[in-house]
Amino acid sequence: MGPMASPSFEVGRPTDLDHTLSRLLEKSIRRSTALDLESLCIVTAQRVWSLRADLHFLSHDGNLIDTACIATITALAHFRLPVITVSGEDITIHPVTERVPVPLSLLHWPICVTFSFLGEDDDGEMVCVVDATAQEEALREGDMTVTVNKNGEVCQISKSGGVPVEAETLMKCARMAAEKVKGIDKLIAAALRDDEVVRNKGNLDWLKEGKSENER
Amino acid sequence: MEGLRNDGRRWNELRRIHCQLSTSSTNADGSSYIEQGFTKVLCNVTGPAEPSSRQKVKQDSATVTCEVYFAAFSGTDRIKRGRNDKKVQELQTAIQKTFSSVILTHLFSRSEITISIHILSQDGGTLAACINAATLALIDAGIPLKDYVCACTAGQSTSIFDNEGSSPDPWLDVNYLEESDIPSLTVATVGDSEKIVALSMENKVRIERLEAMIAVGISGCAKVRGIMDSEVRRHGKEKLEAQGE
């Protein structure tokens, strides 16, 4: 997070938001076993792939967490790993031109939805907003992040501090998150599909050969 | 034995809670010690005092800082957790944010309230024990709070794979073994309002099951509040009697 995204970010000094963000993403994606880590193993107990996701925020207008999560999931789903063959002690990494690289085995797509609580209205009902802008975030009295996948499994919830909220409101938010995630999931899938079409234009035989069912 | 958990409790039973106030009288304004089962936590509160750095000065309210120390011997494996450990930092921010919204910080502008927590033994529900200990220590320090903040954990024993078929089966106050095995959440409420100030869950659970877990967690918080309140009253009475003599 640099000053490019927002003047409030300083260079080289991690803020609380930094910690929250990296912890939330780690909890959402790693702890929910979205990525099958065993598939990244090359030689048992000796060699493994190491994956690293770098996030750069270009502009901050609120809801960094959700955006970061969607970006990470899309990147992981889009990523292709070079094929390797192991024979005895030797490990060969085949270049992309030789063998078609394979996608990572993502078991499900956990997606974060953040709710901002803006305080109670005249009837004593909590006003909650999804996908808040920077201005709304500056005004909010509390927030909660729910991570759900499209199958309706909640992978992570975190609400630390902020205004106290009725359990019923929180449940309503969680259910709403589950609905929202279905839409976001479709958007990601559509974007990936479009990309695949563009990449493989006029070269579909090549694509077929790359199917994982084929004998290698 | 049917219907009993591995430590012999029923689904809605808390573990033994033992709490104490004013445990270290010299170097802190308020202190407490809490045991929830085998989870043992010591908490010291200093403040309101002059902020340790100029960054922490807020003109209109007090700054709440939280420091969490894991004893290397607190878990089953001997792990030394430094200050920059992610788990430590997460606990710190969770506790700090929770209490910033409950302490009446506007009364102490340009000052700092430090909550330092030492985790001596972990047996599930660490965050909950930390929050409870911090509440007691803040009360002991005489820092005005909106109300008690009580935290409790709840688990869910049915697996995530079966859907509507089986009924939800929530467990109250999970221990380490249960925590590592089944999905669980920590819920913290303010006073007896049943309003949730902090909620954290790290495992996968079906959305239909969530409601039962939160409900059980809230009922646990109410019980914890009763226990903590009676200890605060007992301690207060003891102190008054000692002064009277």
Side-chain angles (χ1 to χ4, degrees), chain A residues 91-170:
Chain A
I91 302 165
T92 336
I93 301 178
H94 296 286
V96 184
T97 44
E98 205 172 285
R99 294 259 181 102
V100 180
V102 288
L104 298 170
S105 63
L106 270 182
L107 303 178
H108 60 106
W109 294 352
I111 292 161
C112 297
V113 181
T114 305
F115 294 89
S116 298
F117 303 112
L118 300 176
E120 287 175 352
D121 64 5
D122 300 335
D123 307 327
E125 194 119 330
M126 186 57 70
V127 182
C128 50
V129 180
V130 70
D131 193 14
T133 61
Q135 205 173 14
E136 284 162 340
E137 279 188 1
L139 289 168
R140 73 183 170 192
E141 292 178 14
D143 63 304
M144 174 174 78
T145 304
V146 188
T147 309
V148 203
N149 61 22
K150 67 171 177 194
N151 309 326
E153 285 161 352
V154 182
C155 305
Q156 179 273 129
I157 295 185
S158 96
K159 174 192 191 306
S160 48
V163 62
V165 183
E166 295 280 353
E168 216 161 289
T169 318
L170 295 187

Side-chain angles (χ1 to χ4, degrees), chain A residues 19 23 26-27 31 108 120 151-162 164-166 170 174-175, chain B residues 86 89-90 93 97-98 101 190 195-207 210-211 218:
Chain A
H19 296 308
R23 268 302 286 180
E26 197 179 286
K27 274 202 285 192
R31 287 210 54 173
H108 60 106
E120 287 175 352
N151 309 326
E153 285 161 352
V154 182
C155 305
Q156 179 273 129
I157 295 185
S158 96
K159 174 192 191 306
S160 48
V165 183
E166 295 280 353
L170 295 187
R175 274 192 282 269
Chain B
K86 276 187 178 161
Q89 288 198 329
E90 193 199 5
T93 32
K97 279 190 180 168
T98 307
S101 58
V190 181
K195 282 193 176 179
I196 297 170
V197 65
L199 177 68
S200 124
M201 188 183 71
E202 301 194 346
N203 315 87
K204 237 173 9 178
V205 70
R206 284 212 63 82
I207 195 158
L210 202 63
E211 202 160 359
I218 289 177

Side-chain angles (χ1 to χ4, degrees), chain B residues 5-244:
Chain B
R5 286 148 70 173
N6 64 359
D7 51 4
R9 285 181 291 153
R10 286 184 203 289
W11 67 274
N12 58 353
E13 280 175 338
L14 285 173
R15 291 174 291 174
R16 184 185 68 96
I17 296 182
H18 167 79
C19 43
Q20 244 174 293
L21 272 84
S22 296
T23 45
S24 57
S25 49
T26 47
N27 46 14
D29 293 314
S31 54
S32 68
Y33 172 70
I34 190 163
E35 282 178 14
Q36 287 187 274
F38 292 118
T39 303
K40 296 169 189 176
V41 174
L42 193 66
C43 178
N44 285 349
V45 166
T46 335
E50 199 180 329
S52 54
S53 71
R54 286 191 66 183
Q55 270 174 33
K56 289 178 182 163
V57 179
K58 275 196 238 163
Q59 292 302 325
D60 54 346
S61 67
T63 322
V64 181
T65 29
C66 178
E67 292 157 3
V68 174
Y69 305 96
F70 277 90
F73 50 82
S74 61
T76 40
D77 301 317
R78 195 179 173 88
I79 305 169
K80 208 158 176 142
R81 289 188 191 275
R83 301 215 56 179
N84 291 325
D85 190 282
K86 276 187 178 161
K87 199 177 170 189
V88 173
Q89 288 198 329
E90 193 199 5
L91 266 178
Q92 283 176 346
T93 32
I95 295 164
Q96 183 233 325
K97 279 190 180 168
T98 307
F99 283 98
S100 308
S101 58
V102 183
I103 296 173
L104 302 179
T105 47
H106 62 276
L107 298 175
F108 309 104
S109 49
R110 293 183 293 278
S111 51
E112 185 186 12
I113 297 166
T114 314
I115 305 170
S116 73
I117 294 172
H118 294 259
I119 295 159
L120 305 178
S121 166
Q122 301 179 68
D123 185 34
T126 314
L127 174 62
C130 288
I131 290 176
N132 294 337
T135 305
L136 288 174
L138 285 165
I139 291 171
D140 186 41
I143 290 168
L145 300 168
K146 279 184 192 154
D147 208 325
Y148 284 81
V149 190
C150 305
C152 191
T153 57
Q156 174 69 58
S157 63
T158 33
S159 90
I160 57 161
F161 299 110
D162 46 13
N163 290 333
E164 281 80 39
S166 53
S167 62
D169 186 10
W171 289 359
L172 184 62
D173 196 14
V174 290
N175 61 26
Y176 177 71
L177 213 65
E178 293 164 347
E179 196 178 60
S180 47
D181 220 27
I182 61 169
S184 63
L185 55 77
T186 306
V187 52
T189 58
V190 181
D192 45 11
S193 64
E194 299 203 346
K195 282 193 176 179
I196 297 170
V197 65
L199 177 68
S200 124
M201 188 183 71
E202 301 194 346
N203 315 87
K204 237 173 9 178
V205 70
R206 284 212 63 82
I207 195 158
E208 298 85 23
R209 306 235 179 276
L210 202 63
E211 202 160 359
M213 281 168 83
I214 295 178
V216 167
I218 289 177
S219 73
C221 290
K223 284 186 205 165
V224 172
R225 184 181 185 273
I227 296 168
M228 278 161 57
D229 191 46
S230 64
E231 170 60 23
V232 169
R233 281 173 199 281
R234 194 198 62 76
H235 178 78
K237 215 170 151 189
E238 200 179 77
K239 242 185 166 173
L240 275 179
E241 279 167 3
Q243 267 180 2

Side-chain angles (χ1 to χ4, degrees), chain A residues 59-67 131-137:
Chain A
S59 169
H60 172 32
D61 188 23
N63 211 9
L64 287 182
I65 294 172
D66 297 11
T67 323
D131 193 14
T133 61
Q135 205 173 14
E136 284 162 340
E137 279 188 1

